Structures are given as C-alpha cells and as structure tokens.
Amino acid sequence: MDCFLAFTANRETAFVHSINAAAVTYFLTRDCRRGIFRNCACVRQTGQAGEWRGCNDNVKFGEVLSKHFLNARHVDKRKARAVIHLHNNAVGRKAVKKTLKQQCKCHGVSGGCSSKSCWKTLPLFSEIGDYLKAKYQQAQKVRLHTNKLVLKLPSRVFAPLTKKARRSLVFLKPSPDYCHRDTKKGSTGVLGRECSSDSPNYLECIQMCTSCDYRVEKKLAVRSSKCNCKFVWCCDIKCSECKKLVAVTKCVR
C-alpha cells in the first residue's frame, strides 16, 4: 500500500500529505513558542476592551518553513500529482491556524477578572487530526486542466473549483479496496495484518477488521516507539525511544 500511496493521488494520499504538512507546521510553531529558534517570537495583538495585549503562537513562522521544507520536491506544476500535493500540503498548514484556541489570563485583585490578557495557542495535535479527518471524508475529486485544478461535471464540462473545494482536500483517483490483497494496485489487504492501538478497548483496530467482514484476535504487547521528537535546525528530527503497553489485534477469517 505504501508504494501505491506514493504514486497515486487518492483520498488517503491527500490525507497523508495534509497531516504531514500540519505536523511540520505544528512542531515548528511549538518550538518557536518555546524559544528554541532565535529568529522568531510570538505575535503581539491589540487587546479589545477590558483586555491586555496577548501574544499569539507564531503559526506564520511554522507555515513558511513547512512550505519551504515540504514543497521543494513538488516543483513541476504542470504535473497533476504535484499540483494535488501542493494543494493538500496547503490545507494541512492552514489546519493548524484554523484550530488555534484562545486562552485568557485574568488580572485582578483576589482572583478577580476586571481585566485580562488573551492569546491564541496551539491545540492538541489530535484535534488537528480530527479536523483533517473531516476534510478527508469530504474530499473533492478533481482534474488538472490548463495547469489548474478543476471539477469535472457529469456533462463532461470542466468547472473552476468552488469555494468549498478550494478549502477541501482533493484527489485524482478513487481509492482501491483496502480489505483485500491486490498487488497490481498496491493494496496488501487486512487479512493477517496486526493493528496496534493505545486504546485498551481495541475499538480502532476492531473496526478495521469487522468493516472487512473478518474476525478479531486480541492481545496486549509491550512496544517501543519514537517519542519526544524535536525539530533540529536545520533540517533534522531527533527522537527518544519510549516503551508502552498497547492493544494488538489481528484480522482472521
């Protein structure tokens, strides 16, 4: 499936590109807030009535570097896949900005809130994942026409992207049947495949098997994984290794 995703611009590829761009933007923005980079700072905003000026997380810094870092390999804008990936990368970067949360701190005597300072800060990354999952489910099928993404109408007429489509994930090809093995399309199927979950009730992995009409075998296992990853300027990511107890399932007949 990995090779298939690498060369086919379907819904899953769209999601992978978007969440990858969101992750790079997110962690660059977070490290900027932590003072790891000398050339960026939070963004001051003008306070409203009864508010002091807060200092927003510098998402613009994360967006610019993420775009420079990830878009470099998609330089030929005459190719449909390159244009698709650039579009979905942009949706991922914008997802970080769209999901920013407002936090406020009160300033007053004895815990009063006669005045306060507010700022916009990063949410949990899982919230960005949920946002992009919704985008994945609403993804739009498009075509490349005169080097631009367009919608193909049933009447065989090309139409410009609607406002909704410009903000959506887009794809060129329909997804294969991931339930069953198909070497021509790069699908490995789910039969005999293990799935790990942080959730002790196995729900995520059970759904993968049952949606393909397979039974589920369950067990608990200790797994090692990368954690506490940090972006190191420039351009590397360093991680620690952590162990945790995970729920493991296997799809069987």
Side-chain angles (χ1 to χ4, degrees):
M1 188 183 299
D2 292 339
C3 292
F4 183 71
L5 286 176
F7 296 102
T8 303
N10 58 23
R11 286 176 182 266
E12 289 69 37
T13 314
F15 180 78
V16 168
H17 276 83
S18 66
I19 202 163
N20 187 42
V24 175
T25 303
Y26 182 93
F27 289 106
L28 285 169
T29 302
R30 184 201 63 180
D31 287 349
C32 172
R33 179 183 66 197
R34 293 179 175 180
I36 293 176
F37 301 113
R38 295 181 180 178
N39 59 336
C40 78
C42 62
V43 180
R44 291 284 177 185
Q45 64 174 349
T46 303
Q48 299 176 358
E51 293 182 352
W52 293 7
R53 289 188 301 169
C55 199
N56 299 332
D57 283 350
N58 195 344
V59 179
K60 187 66 177 178
F61 173 83
E63 283 183 316
V64 171
L65 278 189
S66 174
K67 183 177 181 180
H68 176 76
F69 187 65
L70 296 177
N71 285 9
R73 51 185 172 172
H74 305 303
V75 293
D76 191 349
K77 294 184 179 181
R78 295 169 298 175
K79 293 184 178 180
R81 282 199 301 266
V83 179
I84 288 283
H85 296 333
L86 289 172
H87 175 98
N88 292 325
N89 282 353
V91 173
R93 292 193 301 271
K94 291 176 183 176
V96 180
K97 187 174 183 179
K98 289 287 186 180
T99 54
L100 287 173
K101 288 189 169 182
Q102 180 166 289
Q103 290 188 354
C104 295
K105 183 178 180 180
C106 292
H107 308 281
V109 180
S110 300
C113 204
S114 55
S115 63
K116 61 182 178 179
S117 57
C118 296
W119 63 94
K120 290 184 178 180
T121 188
L122 294 170
L124 295 174
F125 189 72
S126 60
E127 295 179 41
I128 299 175
D130 291 339
Y131 176 89
L132 289 174
K133 182 180 179 181
K135 292 283 187 183
Y136 160 80
Q137 294 168 339
Q138 300 165 5
Q140 302 280 316
K141 187 176 181 180
V142 297
R143 290 288 184 269
L144 188 68
H145 183 63
T146 61
N147 296 334
K148 293 182 179 180
L149 295 179
V150 295
L151 297 172
K152 187 176 181 181
L153 303 180
S155 57
R156 297 184 179 180
V157 176
F158 294 108
L161 294 186
T162 62
K163 186 175 181 180
K164 178 181 178 181
R166 290 196 299 270
R167 297 175 178 176
S168 300
L169 293 178
V170 296
F171 63 97
L172 289 172
K173 301 290 184 180
S175 302
D177 177 5
Y178 291 117
C179 289
H180 304 98
R181 185 178 180 84
D182 187 336
T183 54
K184 290 184 178 180
K185 293 185 176 180
S187 175
T188 59
V190 300
L191 184 63
R193 178 172 156 186
E194 285 193 349
C195 172
S196 300
S197 173
D198 293 330
S199 172
N201 57 14
Y202 302 91
L203 286 180
E204 294 174 355
C205 294
I206 288 174
Q207 184 179 9
M208 182 184 75
C209 298
T210 56
S211 63
C212 294
D213 296 326
Y214 292 124
R215 294 188 299 106
V216 182
E217 285 186 352
K218 308 174 185 178
K219 65 178 181 180
L220 293 174
V222 177
R223 293 285 172 87
S224 297
S225 62
K226 292 182 179 180
C227 60
N228 303 321
C229 294
K230 294 182 179 180
F231 184 84
V232 180
W233 184 263
C234 172
C235 300
D236 196 14
I237 297 177
K238 292 188 177 181
C239 305
S240 303
E241 187 170 310
C242 299
K243 292 184 178 181
K244 60 181 178 180
L245 186 67
V246 297
V248 179
T249 69
K250 182 186 290 186
C251 300
V252 297
R253 293 188 187 278

